[in-house]
């Protein structure tokens, strides 16, 4: 709602460990409030209604997608890659029911996937542009990076997420 910003920050947990966690900086009181503790949370994105935060959670040997309420309660995993060692990154809210993110699969193929938050189903989009990464929703549409030509370029996808132009 514009009253603050959610961000990730690395903190020392004790002398031997550092974990990234989520914080909410509130503009009105100019203070940061810790939302998670020890979750290894990074790359937060807030839902359209402002009630949930989606984020990447680092796990031993990989990553997964999780969510937590804006108050920091009820954290749970919403997507676990099929194979250990696969890496997810850059979640972005597409709609009230869809989250797009990048996944580096075991064969080193970078793909964009959409997670249906209602059913839990996942589908690959823009597969003709592999390797793809860094999805970002803008007023003009979805921007992403593709290395399909051998050089990374920024593309703007059509509304159906079937094709794109440089």
């Amino acid at each position: 709602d514009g009253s603050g910003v959610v961000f990730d920050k690395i903190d020392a947990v004790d002398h031997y460990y550092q974990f990234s966690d989520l914080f909410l900086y509130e503009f009105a009181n100019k203070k940061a409030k810790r939302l998670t503790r020890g979750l290894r949370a990074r790359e937060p994105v807030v839902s359209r209604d402002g009630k949930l935060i989606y984020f990447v959670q680092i796990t031993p040997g990989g990553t997964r997608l999780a969510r937590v309420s804006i108050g920091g309660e009820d954290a749970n995993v919403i997507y676990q890659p099929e194979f250990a060692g696969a890496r997810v990154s850059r979640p972005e809210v597409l709609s009230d029911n869809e989250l797009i993110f990048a996944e580096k699969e075991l064969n080193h193929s970078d793909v964009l996937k959409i997670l249906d938050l209602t059913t839990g189903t996942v589908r690959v989009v823009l597969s003709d542009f592999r390797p793809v990464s860094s999805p970002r929703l803008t007023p003009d549409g979805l921007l992403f990076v593709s290395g399909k030509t051998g050089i990374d370029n920024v593309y703007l996808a059509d509304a159906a997420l079937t094709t794109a132009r440089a």
Side-chain angles (χ1 to χ4, degrees):
D1 64 3
S3 64
V5 63
V6 176
F7 63 97
D8 61 71
K9 177 182 163 205
I10 296 175
D11 271 341
V13 175
D14 59 33
H15 294 293
Y16 305 102
Y17 302 102
Q18 292 182 334
F19 292 130
S20 52
D21 276 302
L22 303 181
F23 291 79
L24 171 62
Y25 181 84
E26 297 169 323
F27 297 131
N29 63 17
K30 299 181 180 173
K31 292 186 179 179
K33 172 185 164 187
R34 179 186 285 270
L35 299 175
T36 63
R37 185 169 300 280
L39 284 185
R40 296 179 173 175
R42 66 178 187 187
E43 302 178 28
V45 61
V46 179
S47 65
R48 289 182 172 192
D49 65 7
K51 294 179 181 179
L52 296 170
I53 302 167
Y54 301 99
F55 62 93
V56 173
Q57 185 177 33
I58 302 168
T59 62
T63 57
R64 58 190 181 190
L65 293 176
R67 74 175 154 218
V68 67
S69 72
I70 195 72
E73 303 90 15
D74 303 322
N76 60 355
V77 175
I78 58 171
Y79 174 74
Q80 176 79 42
E82 187 176 344
F83 302 104
R87 234 179 29 237
V88 297
S89 64
R90 306 283 182 146
E92 182 77 14
V93 174
L94 274 184
S95 69
D96 291 340
N97 299 319
E98 292 182 318
L99 195 68
I100 191 167
F101 59 95
E103 183 172 328
K104 181 179 259 325
E105 298 177 329
L106 290 180
N107 62 2
H108 303 291
S109 175
D110 294 274
V111 297
L112 290 183
K113 293 185 175 183
I114 294 179
L115 171 64
D116 184 311
L117 297 167
T118 305
T119 65
T121 58
V122 177
R123 63 185 166 96
V124 174
V125 293
L126 298 163
S127 58
D128 291 344
F129 291 86
R130 290 181 186 190
V132 293
S133 64
S134 305
R136 186 61 57 211
L137 192 60
T138 72
D140 293 328
L142 183 78
L143 291 175
F144 64 95
V145 175
S146 170
K148 80 175 195 167
T149 64
I151 297 172
D152 285 349
N153 289 298
V154 176
Y155 289 81
L156 178 64
D158 67 347
L161 301 179
T162 55
T163 189
R165 62 180 170 84

